[in-house]
Amino acid sequence: MADIETLHSKIVYENKWLRVREDKIRRSSGNEGIYGVVEKPDFAIILPIEGDKVYMVEQYRYTIKQRQLELPQGAWEANPDADPIELAKGELEEETGLIADSMEYVGFQYLAYGFCDQGYHIYIARGLTQGRQKLDEEEEDLRVVPITFTELKEKIISGDIKDASTCNAVGLAMLKGFI
């Protein structure tokens, strides 16, 4: 028997980006309760590196009412089963206009599995060629910000960069010896 059994599940909210599900559950102890789950497709996050530069993006994040610096990242809601490397290449070009000669796979992590099933694939992009951005309407304020790798680490340490997936992608790539 699983640690938690799902007795009943219902969708309580849905839009093109996410679905919120409420599950009635039974724990192994026999106690029943509810569990809220946010369902979102997996995304890709990319560290575009050229020499000592890392290409970041900055955009206004409505949920926290601030502009934030982060690595290029995104999902294809219309194609949630897309090949992760194709997703990474597509998001990199869409957000930065950059096309990579090589994409190195760093790993897979979950964003916040306490309430959300979304995970992300981490890639390093190298051999960059500048093309044209292809921004979605929601990204109209996005700016590309090249910074040195040293600046990136300093901004993570100081707390200027607060995006958990960006911090994790950089940390995992460093721990695995990619950068």
Side-chain angles (χ1 to χ4, degrees), residues 75-144:
W76 288 343
E77 289 80 12
N79 186 8
D81 298 322
D83 182 342
I85 195 165
E86 294 306 316
L87 173 60
K89 290 176 183 177
E91 284 296 318
L92 177 64
E93 184 175 4
E94 177 186 305
E95 292 190 359
T96 67
L98 295 169
I99 299 166
D101 285 342
S102 72
M103 299 289 281
E104 297 172 90
Y105 189 69
V106 176
F108 179 85
Q109 298 285 293
Y110 284 102
L111 184 64
Y113 55 59
F115 72 92
C116 184
D117 67 354
Q118 186 177 44
Y120 55 99
H121 298 273
I122 304 165
Y123 288 90
I124 295 178
R126 300 186 195 270
L128 306 174
T129 304
Q130 188 64 59
R132 225 172 51 96
Q133 285 177 299
K134 301 172 183 174
L135 300 176
D136 290 336
E137 286 178 4
E138 294 86 11
E139 300 169 323
E140 64 185 29
D141 68 331
L142 186 141
R143 294 185 317 119
V144 178

Side-chain angles (χ1 to χ4, degrees), residues 21-42:
R21 189 181 82 227
E22 186 174 274
D23 293 349
K24 182 176 181 184
I25 60 156
R26 181 181 302 124
R27 292 180 173 80
S28 57
S29 65
N31 291 328
E32 293 185 4
I34 61 166
Y35 213 105
V37 178
V38 176
E39 297 177 347
K40 288 185 62 103
D42 291 345

Side-chain angles (χ1 to χ4, degrees), residues 162-173:
K162 296 175 178 66
D163 179 57
S165 53
T166 293
C167 295
N168 186 53
V170 172
L172 189 60

